[in-house]
Amino acid sequence: MAAAAEEAAAAELAVLLAPAAGAAARAGAVEAALALSGSAAGRRLLAGQPAALAALLELAAGPGPPAARKALACLGNVSDEAAAREPLLAALPALLGLLPGGPACGLLANLCRERGAARRVLRGLQERGPGLEPLLQALGEPRPPPQLGPLLCNLSQLPEGCRGLLDRSRCSVQRLLPFTQHKDSVVHRRGIVGALRNCCFEYEDHEWLLSEEVDILPFLLLPLAGPEEFPEDEMERLPVDLQYLPQDKQREEEPDIRKMLLEAIMLLTATRAGRHTVREKGTYLILRELHRWEQEPHVLAACEKVVQVLIGDEPGPGLENLLEVEIPEEMERELQRLDREEEEEEAQGSTPCPEEPSR
């Protein structure tokens, strides 16, 4: 009975959201819908009401700022529900027209979690002409929308999304780099670091990413660096931006972001040239100190994997590019088993960071 009553109330709310209800009724209804969308049960109810979703979309794209803002916020909440995603994707042209506003970025970021939906959103952006450019331009605003980072991250899970961010003619990826240290929003920072990590899967661009034209490595290392002082001979090996850091320098506070930064560096070591550059820029020194400081087992494991690549011998012939190596299925299962065992061991206690070979 309670479920039936809730369904009836949601259906009545959909009627009040419709244009025929009048401006006053719709204003009250959108307030109620926004409050309802604050709970998981409310989001499920709204997701099951196509008429309510359609009315909210019409309001979100309308001229009345308060109602439009609340309708868009409500849709952003409801987009967490899988049942709402297809109706919202069907209204993609209207939603794309609301970019690069923050609530629209958040809504589309939710829709883009799956690759198929991300491809539809990216295609829609490309059909509008400028592609990712409006989103990248929004990065230059004094306070970029925090939800912009997750949207770019989810779009970059696609090779074509990465290509948009790696467009050399637009200096696209360079616009992301300062946000690895963005203090205003952990949501935005996490999304940007995730997008950079995804771009690092494109090994054909590693040489360019590590070159002076982009110089990605200091931006990945700086959030992992602390206030430690290095001997002069070690200090000279570090990029200028990592030398003589202040005593109050703080490392990235979020473990998952630290892990993504390490994963991005690991990807940049996939090629022989990349390994050489990453080694020569003093990466080991930063990771050595990070390893001494780090408490999270999964971040420690990621750190140790990068260090092992940096201090290990070069792979044999045919294995120069680690991203192109095909691993037999049985070996892959064995590696996964070893990874699980390693994680269990690390949970029991940390291990010393291996020493860099003497030079």
Side-chain angles (χ1 to χ4, degrees):
M1 289 292 292
E6 288 175 348
E7 288 288 345
E12 183 178 349
L13 182 61
V15 172
L16 293 173
L17 285 167
R26 296 184 87 191
V30 77
E31 287 270 12
L34 180 57
L36 190 61
S37 71
S39 70
R43 289 192 290 273
R44 285 194 295 272
L45 276 174
L46 289 169
Q49 292 287 333
L53 294 178
L56 286 165
L57 281 163
E58 190 265 337
L59 275 168
R69 186 167 58 250
K70 291 170 185 174
L72 191 53
C74 178
L75 289 171
N77 292 340
V78 176
S79 63
D80 272 338
E81 296 297 320
R85 289 175 192 159
E86 189 54 42
L88 292 175
L89 283 167
L92 199 53
L95 293 176
L96 292 176
L98 301 175
L99 289 174
C105 286
L107 195 165
L108 287 164
N110 282 344
L111 297 183
C112 287
R113 289 174 182 170
E114 297 176 358
R115 291 172 70 89
R119 189 164 281 112
R120 288 170 67 177
V121 171
L122 188 58
R123 189 182 304 124
L125 286 167
Q126 291 166 341
E127 287 172 354
R128 292 175 67 86
L132 296 179
E133 186 58 27
L135 304 181
L136 295 170
Q137 285 182 358
L139 291 174
E141 296 177 2
R143 295 181 67 85
Q147 304 91 334
L148 183 53
L151 176 56
L152 289 170
C153 181
N154 289 348
L155 291 172
S156 69
Q157 68 181 299
L158 304 170
E160 53 268 44
C162 282
R163 284 196 293 273
L165 293 178
L166 293 168
D167 184 342
R168 303 187 189 193
S169 67
R170 294 178 180 271
C171 296
S172 299
V173 75
Q174 290 93 323
R175 299 189 230 182
L176 304 183
L177 298 178
F179 293 99
T180 62
Q181 289 271 100
H182 186 62
K183 301 302 183 187
D184 290 349
S185 169
V186 67
V187 171
H188 187 49
R189 189 167 74 250
R190 180 182 289 113
I192 293 295
V193 170
L196 289 170
R197 192 252 334 247
N198 290 345
C199 287
C200 289
F201 278 97
E202 305 298 316
Y203 63 83
E204 298 93 342
D205 291 290
H206 283 184
E207 184 176 356
W208 175 67
L209 287 170
L210 289 166
S211 72
E212 291 184 1
E213 189 174 350
V214 180
D215 203 19
I216 191 174
L217 191 58
F219 291 95
L220 301 177
L221 286 173
L222 189 56
L224 301 175
E228 295 83 10
E229 295 182 7
F230 294 96
E232 198 64 32
D233 61 325
E234 290 187 340
M235 191 73 76
E236 290 175 355
R237 292 170 52 194
L238 293 169
V240 172
D241 289 344
L242 278 86
Q243 295 180 8
Y244 304 104
L245 296 177
Q247 287 299 306
D248 60 353
K249 170 68 173 69
Q250 299 291 314
R251 288 184 171 88
E252 167 57 54
E253 62 188 21
E254 297 294 327
D256 62 322
I257 298 180
R258 296 197 299 274
K259 186 170 184 285
M260 286 193 293
L261 290 163
L262 289 163
E263 289 168 347
I265 296 168
M266 183 70 171
L267 288 165
L268 291 170
T269 67
T271 63
R272 187 184 298 275
R275 289 189 290 278
H276 175 77
T277 302
V278 174
R279 287 186 185 115
E280 289 301 305
K281 291 195 175 183
T283 300
Y284 170 81
L285 303 174
I286 300 297
L287 300 194
R288 180 188 68 194
E289 301 306 318
L290 171 67
H291 190 274
R292 291 171 177 167
W293 173 89
E294 185 61 64
Q295 299 295 315
E296 296 291 336
H298 65 293
V299 185
L300 273 172
C303 182
E304 287 165 10
K305 286 177 181 176
V306 182
V307 168
Q308 290 293 348
V309 170
L310 296 179
I311 69 174
D313 295 331
E314 274 296 311
L319 302 177
E320 291 87 353
N321 187 334
L322 302 180
L323 288 177
E324 286 188 327
V325 176
E326 291 189 13
I327 301 175
E329 189 174 338
E330 289 183 9
M331 185 181 292
E332 187 170 355
R333 284 198 295 268
E334 177 64 11
L335 289 171
Q336 290 171 351
R337 183 186 68 79
L338 292 172
D339 277 345
R340 287 194 296 271
E341 289 181 0
E342 181 182 322
E343 288 173 5
E344 290 170 5
E345 290 173 4
E346 283 153 359
Q348 304 303 317
S350 61
T351 57
C353 185
E355 291 187 10
E356 186 180 29
S358 58
R359 292 173 177 264

